[in-house]
Amino acid sequence: QVQLVESGGELVQAGGSLRLSCVVSGRAFTMYAMGSYTMGWFRQAPGKEREFVSAISWSGGSKYYADSVEGRFTISRDDAKNTVYLQMNSLKPEDTAVYYCVAQVFGGGSNRPRDYASWGQGTQVTVSS
């Protein structure tokens, strides 16, 4: 496993934008470089189950999005900085949640939480109406 630290969550008005960052570190890098990890984001709103938001393949060639964020959110990665980003535009109150960064070695971009071995602690995003 690797350690994931998210940042960038805050209170924003509806229609606004935020960029979340997730820095990856850990001893697992001695076995697998950053470029071996499929990275992703999940979110969990109060009283709701954790849901898939987006993922980017270990090669960066494939990106996956939940229907609810398609066209508004963009995932990207900078392997030189061991960082994955989630650019969130046109935010809606229903985007309010704790956002979690996830990682899986050579993952397939799954939308299932159980397919990711490493999880961050989460960052709170609150969108006011």
Side-chain angles (χ1 to χ4, degrees):
Q1 292 186 358
V2 291
Q3 283 72 55
L4 310 175
V5 178
E6 305 97 333
S7 63
E10 63 181 72
L11 172 64
V12 64
Q13 288 189 334
S17 298
L18 284 177
R19 188 176 78 159
L20 304 184
S21 300
C22 172
V23 177
V24 186
S25 64
R27 290 188 297 174
F29 274 176
T30 60
M31 295 181 62
Y32 298 103
M34 176 68 181
S36 302
Y37 287 87
T38 288
M39 304 296 299
W41 294 89
F42 283 75
R43 68 185 182 186
Q44 187 167 23
K48 295 186 177 181
E49 293 187 352
R50 197 164 292 189
E51 66 172 353
F52 172 79
V53 176
S54 182
I56 183 168
S57 65
W58 55 273
S59 67
S62 297
K63 300 180 181 181
Y64 311 88
Y65 297 96
D67 290 343
S68 58
V69 307
E70 181 81 53
R72 299 188 298 123
F73 291 10
T74 303
I75 192 170
S76 62
R77 62 190 295 157
D78 185 341
D79 289 352
K81 296 182 178 180
N82 292 343
T83 302
V84 62
Y85 304 98
L86 185 68
Q87 178 66 43
M88 305 187 296
N89 299 328
S90 302
L91 283 162
K92 305 175 181 180
E94 51 263 44
D95 293 319
T96 295
V98 177
Y99 283 70
Y100 297 92
C101 180
V102 296
Q104 179 60 42
V105 174
F106 296 126
S110 171
N111 62 0
R112 298 180 301 187
R114 67 187 184 195
D115 290 332
Y116 293 89
S118 299
W119 289 73
Q121 293 300 306
T123 185
Q124 176 70 49
V125 172
T126 303
V127 184
S128 64
S129 57

